[in-house]
Amino acid sequence: MEPLNVIAEPAGALRPSADLGAVPAQVPASQRQEAAAAWKALNAPPEAAQRDEERVRALEGEMAALRAKSTAERTSVVELQKRLELIESQRFSAGLVYALMGLLALALAMLAWVWTRARRDSRVAIQAWRDSVALSAEHAEAHGYASHHLVPHPHDTWAPEDSAPFTADAAARTAEAAVDAPVPMAAP
């Protein structure tokens, strides 16, 4: 697009020439096109020049808006790239995450194992306690020993029937062992 100052030149600068119709062979095609465009612009009516000038202003305004938008988008892309680099630098490596998850699973498995073992040991200890209390009561009744005035605690939830029943054979063996071993007596 030609600048407007070419159009604004006075028409007095033109001079008639006799060899205007002859086109020299040395003139390149681009110069001929430029000359034709300049001639067309000089012969255009003033309204057309005014419309072209308005069009040029509108196009320049659009170009300025597109440049501003392009600059804003470039700035936005640069900012997003910086944020992405920051986020990637702050994240943990996959190996570390998997190792921590494995350790967590191992700790949970150990906790479950300890908990089940403690429950089993607790049940065994409770049953042993109940059996020993029941055996002690049977032994005291069988041999006429004093019960030492022991009373169950009111908040105990077990009953003597919760303990395993003794067979007569087991009771006889227990009684024999008790007779052989001296039993300490509590002072009244």
Side-chain angles (χ1 to χ4, degrees):
M1 186 167 280
E2 293 293 322
L4 292 179
N5 60 2
V6 173
I7 297 172
E9 288 181 1
L14 296 177
R15 286 180 258 156
S17 173
D19 54 283
L20 189 60
V23 178
Q26 297 112 345
V27 177
S30 63
Q31 276 185 341
R32 280 185 272 161
Q33 288 175 350
E34 288 176 16
W39 180 254
K40 187 177 179 182
L42 288 174
N43 290 329
E47 295 87 23
Q50 203 172 26
R51 278 189 308 229
D52 288 343
E53 189 177 323
E54 288 174 8
R55 246 189 249 147
V56 167
R57 284 188 198 136
L59 289 174
E60 286 176 351
E62 286 179 20
M63 285 297 292
L66 288 173
R67 279 189 202 116
K69 185 177 179 182
S70 174
T71 304
E73 287 176 354
R74 274 191 232 121
T75 306
S76 171
V77 166
V78 167
E79 182 182 323
L80 287 174
Q81 286 175 340
K82 286 180 183 178
R83 287 179 58 197
L84 178 63
E85 289 173 3
L86 178 67
I87 288 170
E88 285 179 349
S89 69
Q90 289 178 346
R91 75 175 196 182
F92 296 108
S93 68
L96 177 64
V97 171
Y98 289 132
L100 289 174
M101 287 174 48
L103 287 174
L104 178 64
L106 182 64
L108 289 174
M110 289 291 293
L111 183 65
W113 178 77
V114 167
W115 183 69
T116 55
R117 186 171 175 123
R119 275 190 72 186
R120 185 192 60 189
D121 290 348
S122 172
R123 276 189 255 131
V124 167
I126 290 171
Q127 188 62 39
W129 174 256
R130 290 178 182 167
D131 290 347
S132 68
V133 168
L135 182 62
S136 174
E138 282 183 15
H139 182 66
E141 288 175 8
H143 296 288
Y145 294 128
S147 64
H148 304 291
H149 305 292
L150 298 176
V151 215
H153 193 272
H155 296 293
D156 281 345
T157 57
W158 71 277
E161 49 279 342
D162 286 345
S163 62
F166 290 108
T167 59
D169 187 35
R173 276 184 276 157
T174 305
E176 288 174 7
V179 170
D180 293 338
V183 176
M185 297 296 281

